[in-house]
Amino acid sequence: DLGWAWQFIVGRMMTGTVANPNGMSTYEIRQQLAEAVRNNSNPEWREMAALALLRMGFRGYLLMLSAEGGEGAEVARRVLVGG
């Protein structure tokens, strides 16, 4: 069951890893996930990034992405509707 692993990863992304070497703030993580939804060539990765944004509670990012158009917008809309 990947449920525990998924919750752990999303939890880490919500708190950020600034204290670690080469760590990222939660803002940087959100930006990277949004960029993955927009431009990643792998459709599964796009959906995973969109699902991570949704599980982290950042529906606003998904709404923004859905308004931008393109393949990323389709993924964002699908995740918002299907959750």
Side-chain angles (χ1 to χ4, degrees):
D1 181 23
L2 292 175
W4 179 86
W6 179 250
Q7 286 179 320
F8 178 79
I9 291 169
V10 169
R12 291 293 304 197
M13 287 190 291
M14 288 175 66
T15 59
T17 58
V18 177
N20 297 327
N22 298 320
M24 297 175 75
S25 69
T26 55
Y27 173 77
E28 292 169 315
I29 292 168
R30 290 190 310 265
Q31 293 299 313
Q32 290 294 318
L33 288 171
E35 190 61 28
V37 174
R38 278 186 198 103
N39 296 319
N40 197 293
S41 61
N42 185 332
E44 292 175 1
W45 286 43
R46 282 180 178 197
E47 187 158 350
M48 188 180 303
L51 283 169
L53 286 168
L54 181 68
R55 297 294 181 252
M56 292 169 71
F58 298 117
R59 293 179 64 86
Y61 272 80
L62 292 172
L63 290 168
M64 174 191 70
L65 290 165
S66 68
E68 289 180 357
E71 292 180 33
E74 291 300 318
V75 172
R77 283 187 206 109
R78 189 169 54 248
V79 167
L80 281 167
V81 171

